């Protein structure tokens, strides 16, 4: 009798482990809605370095030098990502009328600002990178041979929407700007 109860208990536990108890949210078409991609404190560095590694892998294939993070460009990107959310529109001007060049200078970047690319999405950083690579203008930003520095940041709203900002620049060497 004890043996049968043990077997029954193990089968019941096994079956219960197969179900999550969570019913997925369904859209108007009856299909499950996509799961919101959440960036947490625990995975923030992972998100940032996955983007850097992916960009550098693509640049290596194209025979371009890798980029390195620049703290001033990262700060400028973070400021603009939050500001786009506040304005509720993806565009290159700050709510104060500032351009990406001005924002990078305000953040203390001493190199030559090259470009900015932005996105408003619910997608992951790698899905966003894929979208940027599929467009000629943003692909040119990522594959600019003059670029040496990268700034990359985001702001995620409670809804899950993510405002991505990526900046590139060329650091000064020997008193002269590259490029």
């Amino acid at each position: 009798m004890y043996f049968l109860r043990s077997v029954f208990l193990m089968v019941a536990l096994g079956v219960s482990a197969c179900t999550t108890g969570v019913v997925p949210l369904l859209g108007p078409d009856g299909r499950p809605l996509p799961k919101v991609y959440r960036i947490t404190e625990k995975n923030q560095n992972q998100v940032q370095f996955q983007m850097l590694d992916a960009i550098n892998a693509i640049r290596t294939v194209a025979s371009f030098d890798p980029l390195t993070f620049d703290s001033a460009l990262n700060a400028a990107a973070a400021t603009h990502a939050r500001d786009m959310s506040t304005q509720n529109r993806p565009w290159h001007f700050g709510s104060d009328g500032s351009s990406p060049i001005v924002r990078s200078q305000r953040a203390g970047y001493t190199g030559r600002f090259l470009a900015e690319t932005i996105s408003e999405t619910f997608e992951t950083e790698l899905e966003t990178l894929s979208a940027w690579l599929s467009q000629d203008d943003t692909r040119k930003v990522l594959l600019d041979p003059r670029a040496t520095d990268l700034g990359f940041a985001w702001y995620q709203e409670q809804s899950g929407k993510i405002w991505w900002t990526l900046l590139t620049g060329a650091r000064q060497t020997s008193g002269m700007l590259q490029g």
Side-chain angles (χ1 to χ4, degrees):
M1 185 64 130
Y2 178 72
F3 175 74
L4 288 176
R5 285 184 192 173
S6 297
V7 170
F8 179 77
L9 180 60
M10 289 183 359
V11 169
L13 286 173
V15 170
S16 68
C18 293
T19 61
T20 62
V22 177
V23 178
L25 295 175
L26 301 178
D29 60 359
R31 295 175 51 179
L33 293 173
K35 184 177 178 192
V36 173
Y37 176 64
R38 289 275 176 210
I39 301 172
T40 65
E41 282 187 44
K42 289 175 73 174
N43 71 353
Q44 285 182 3
N45 285 340
Q46 179 183 358
V47 168
Q48 197 164 35
F49 282 100
Q50 279 182 339
M51 180 64 89
L52 177 66
D53 291 345
I55 290 170
N56 283 338
I58 293 161
R59 288 178 63 85
T60 298
V61 169
S63 299
F64 298 131
D65 290 334
L67 303 179
T68 57
F69 279 127
D70 180 88
S71 59
L73 288 179
N74 281 339
T79 299
H80 190 57
R82 182 178 280 277
D83 190 44
M84 285 190 299
S85 171
T86 300
Q87 297 181 68
N88 196 33
R89 62 180 167 185
W91 73 327
H92 295 284
F93 295 97
S95 55
D96 62 356
S98 62
S99 69
I101 295 169
V102 168
R103 289 191 302 276
S104 65
Q105 290 170 341
R106 283 182 191 162
Y109 185 62
T110 57
R112 179 175 164 203
F113 172 82
L114 295 175
E116 175 181 75
T117 187
I118 57 175
S119 182
E120 167 197 14
T121 184
F122 288 88
E123 296 177 330
T124 70
E125 65 280 3
L126 297 180
E127 290 169 324
T128 300
L129 176 59
S130 178
W132 284 338
L133 288 168
S134 71
Q135 300 295 315
D136 287 339
D137 57 344
T138 50
R139 185 175 51 252
K140 286 178 185 176
V141 169
L142 299 167
L143 296 177
D144 186 337
R146 302 170 298 165
T148 57
D149 298 326
L150 176 70
F152 173 65
W154 61 88
Y155 177 74
Q156 186 166 32
E157 296 178 353
Q158 286 294 102
S159 68
K161 183 190 292 186
I162 305 171
W163 301 84
W164 301 102
T165 303
L166 183 143
L167 305 171
T168 59
R171 80 179 64 91
Q172 293 181 329
T173 58
S174 304
M176 298 184 72
L177 291 177
Q178 290 183 352

